[in-house]
Amino acid sequence: MTTSSAPASAPTEPVRTLRELERAVRSCTSCDLHQDRGTPVVGQGTEAARVMLVGSVPRRHEDLQGKPFAGATGNVLDNLLGEVGLTPEECYRTTVVKCRPRDDEPAPMASVEACSTHLDAQIRLIEPEIIVSLGTFTTSVLLRRQVSVERVAGYRLDIRNGITLIPTYHPVDVVRGVPQAAAAMRRDLAAARAVLDGRLSTGAQAVAELRARMSSS
Ligand code: SF4
């Protein structure tokens, strides 16, 4: 039997710009989802964004258009952002997983893990003040534990170097008629606006206030 040694692969350089990230995602074959995707969905917005809006996975409209939150969910999100005064320049939109799962099935955990490289790079490059996690799936991924959005929507949490995480519903919940979804999203996006404006405490400040209350009671 003969043996051969594979050449050592070159170390992967971390991406330095969103443009480099876009190229990396478009050529990514790190999980099986690349086999059926139309257009991978990288993100929409600039490195100057103060808020990241993170959804779950691309669906049909997103896969066709190559942008997050297309179609009816995009209209819902646009309208709510406009209502609370969050401008497109202030927001960067993306998804946890960048390629559409076949038949719109849930994304496999292997894909979530493989694609976390890209989401981590986006967070590192943009350094947002706030991440709004849209829906149970995204919130569970970002908190690294299973949670239900019904229970955590509206909290201001402290994650990753002082970034405030605000969980809320996904715009698809509004499209599907989940009764409390629109009001909760409006409330939570307005909270993001208020944190940016200094009218509401950040996640770190909210945690410190809670600890102070608990130690004095
Ligand atoms: S889902 Fe993410 S990790 Fe998988 S192929 Fe697409 S970009 Fe790569």
Side-chain angles (χ1 to χ4, degrees):
M1 187 175 78
T2 59
T3 59
S4 64
S5 58
S9 57
T12 308
E13 291 289 326
V15 294
R16 291 163 298 181
T17 64
L18 288 180
R19 192 171 287 270
E20 283 185 10
L21 176 77
E22 193 156 322
R23 282 199 290 271
V25 171
R26 291 192 192 289
S27 61
C28 181
T29 56
S30 295
C31 81
D32 291 345
L33 295 187
H34 81 276
Q35 292 167 356
D36 298 305
R37 71 185 173 205
T39 312
V41 173
V42 187
Q44 188 176 25
T46 71
E47 287 167 15
R50 301 176 70 191
V51 180
M52 274 183 76
L53 302 161
V54 185
S56 49
V57 297
R59 298 300 184 196
R60 187 168 67 91
H61 287 293
E62 285 89 8
D63 181 75
L64 287 170
Q65 297 182 29
K67 68 172 195 175
F69 306 109
T73 57
N75 294 337
V76 166
L77 190 59
D78 287 344
N79 289 339
L80 288 169
L81 291 172
E83 282 183 36
V84 304
L86 282 169
T87 66
E89 294 73 29
E90 288 176 305
C91 299
Y92 182 89
R93 307 173 184 207
T94 189
T95 47
V96 169
V97 171
K98 314 303 188 200
C99 302
R100 180 190 183 192
R102 182 185 294 177
D103 299 328
D104 291 334
E105 291 175 351
M109 276 316 294
S111 297
V112 174
E113 283 163 20
C115 221
S116 67
T117 310
H118 302 312
L119 183 60
D120 287 345
Q122 287 170 309
I123 295 171
R124 173 174 55 79
L125 292 169
I126 294 167
E127 295 184 315
E129 293 163 56
I130 298 170
I131 295 176
V132 179
S133 58
L134 299 160
T136 286
F137 174 86
T138 300
T139 303
S140 299
V141 169
L142 289 173
L143 288 177
R144 302 177 203 277
R145 62 191 165 90
Q146 185 63 42
V147 294
S148 153
V149 75
E150 288 86 357
R151 295 188 67 118
V152 298
Y155 280 79
R156 276 163 287 131
L157 306 168
D158 181 33
I159 59 159
R160 297 183 189 223
N161 304 325
I163 297 171
T164 298
L165 177 73
I166 302 179
T168 193
Y169 286 78
H170 193 286
V172 78
D173 296 324
V174 178
V175 174
R176 290 174 179 160
V178 175
Q180 68 276 27
M185 284 194 73
R186 190 176 293 110
R187 175 199 65 198
D188 300 336
L189 293 170
R193 176 74 271 169
V195 172
L196 289 185
D197 294 344
R199 292 182 284 108
L200 197 60
S201 51
T202 64
Q205 290 164 342
V207 170
E209 288 162 7
L210 179 64
R211 287 200 178 118
R213 278 202 300 277
M214 289 173 71
S215 64
S216 65
S217 62

